[in-house]
Amino acid sequence: NAGVTQTPKFQVLKTGQSMTLQCAQDMNHNSMYWYRQDPGMGLRLIYYSASEGTTDKGEVPNGYNVSRLNKREFSLRLESAAPSQTSVYFCASWDRGWSEAFFGQGTRLTVV
Amino acid sequence: AQTVTQSQPEMSVQEAETVTLSCTYDTSESDYYLFWYKQPPSRQMILVIRQEAYKQQNATENRFSVNFQKAAKSFSLKISDSQLGDAAMYFCAYRRSSNTGKLIFGQGTTLQVKP
């Protein structure tokens, strides 16, 4: 089982460029999440999808959009990248109840 | 809103010794889950240990154990017999008990293990 797969692992963007971070899980989980990790701030929730066909804002949604393409895939889009979006991005999936969340390996994004 | 605080940005421990990482949280919920995650330089998020709030017994996983003080809203991680491979960033995280997987993370503690 691959678990949660994110692409790409690294990316450098120029200010104003757009890009999409891809995430796919093969565990048949209903819920998927996007977090960003910044020094001294831990991981913060950007957007999540509790089930296929639904998406909701998290703590820091400004500047991002998401698409739950199907049950497996949940993408994060930056329409016009800003230096403040330089961060490490994590995708996660979760089933229910007591189960743990599973994380992808992260994407290090630098906006110059 | 729930918050999680890790007040120790960095800690160090001698190999084979014991170290305790601190975490406090704030919530008005009575039932919830608490977690410790390890993040080595590879960036992978690895679940170390978890605790369900209604369980009074502290969770233990091999060399890792927690001290869960519900009234004080404290959830510390004790690592016994520290190994070089324990060197990593450690995150404390909170999740409500309802049907959500949303996690609230602390700021993280970087643990250095000295040989």
Side-chain angles (χ1 to χ4, degrees):
Chain A
N1 263 347
V4 179
T5 303
Q6 288 182 236
T7 54
K9 290 186 174 61
F10 300 92
Q11 184 71 48
V12 178
L13 288 179
K14 294 182 178 178
T15 297
Q17 286 186 318
S18 63
M19 80 160 295
T20 300
L21 306 184
Q22 307 285 355
C23 176
Q25 53 95 5
D26 61 3
M27 295 171 285
N28 202 37
H29 288 172
N30 285 315
S31 303
M32 297 184 73
Y33 306 83
W34 278 106
Y35 294 89
R36 60 177 288 173
Q37 179 182 358
D38 301 293
M41 304 190 76
L43 282 74
R44 293 178 293 167
L45 183 64
I46 305 171
Y47 268 94
Y48 68 100
S49 172
S51 61
E52 188 179 355
T54 69
T55 60
D56 283 291
K57 295 178 180 179
E59 182 184 353
V60 289
N62 291 346
Y64 305 95
N65 285 302
V66 291
S67 295
R68 183 75 183 266
L69 305 170
N70 47 56
K71 193 171 185 179
R72 290 187 65 247
E73 298 172 287
F74 187 40
S75 63
L76 179 72
R77 182 161 179 83
L78 288 70
E79 290 291 352
S80 178
S84 61
Q85 294 178 305
T86 293
S87 188
V88 177
Y89 292 84
F90 285 94
C91 178
S93 71
W94 176 75
D95 191 7
R96 62 183 180 276
W98 178 233
S99 64
E100 65 180 279
F102 290 84
F103 287 82
Q105 68 271 52
T107 297
R108 180 174 292 279
L109 174 67
T110 302
V111 183
V112 297
Chain B
Q2 294 91 1
T3 59
V4 178
T5 302
Q6 293 177 250
S7 58
Q8 306 155 317
E10 297 179 351
M11 293 280 286
S12 67
V13 63
Q14 208 70 34
E15 194 175 6
E17 293 189 347
T18 296
V19 64
T20 298
L21 307 185
S22 300
C23 173
T24 59
Y25 59 94
D26 189 25
T27 183
S28 58
E29 305 284 336
S30 59
D31 199 13
Y32 46 86
Y33 302 121
L34 295 165
F35 305 86
W36 278 99
Y37 282 89
K38 172 185 178 182
Q39 186 183 50
S42 66
R43 283 205 310 257
Q44 186 64 43
M45 294 290 286
I46 301 165
L47 179 65
V48 174
I49 198 165
R50 56 187 163 187
Q51 175 83 40
E52 200 162 349
Y54 77 83
K55 292 184 178 178
Q56 294 196 351
Q57 186 173 5
N58 289 326
T60 299
E61 291 286 344
N62 300 314
R63 297 183 295 108
F64 299 87
S65 61
V66 297
N67 183 5
F68 173 49
Q69 301 289 328
K70 191 172 184 179
K73 295 180 182 175
S74 171
F75 183 61
S76 60
L77 174 69
K78 185 171 83 171
I79 306 174
S80 303
D81 186 24
S82 297
Q83 300 175 359
L84 296 177
D86 295 334
M89 174 84 81
Y90 287 82
F91 291 101
C92 179
Y94 165 98
R95 177 160 70 83
R96 285 177 60 189
S97 181
S98 59
N99 282 336
T100 174
K102 291 190 290 183
L103 291 164
I104 299 170
F105 287 86
Q107 300 88 335
T109 297
T110 300
L111 178 66
Q112 181 185 24
V113 181
K114 297 178 181 178

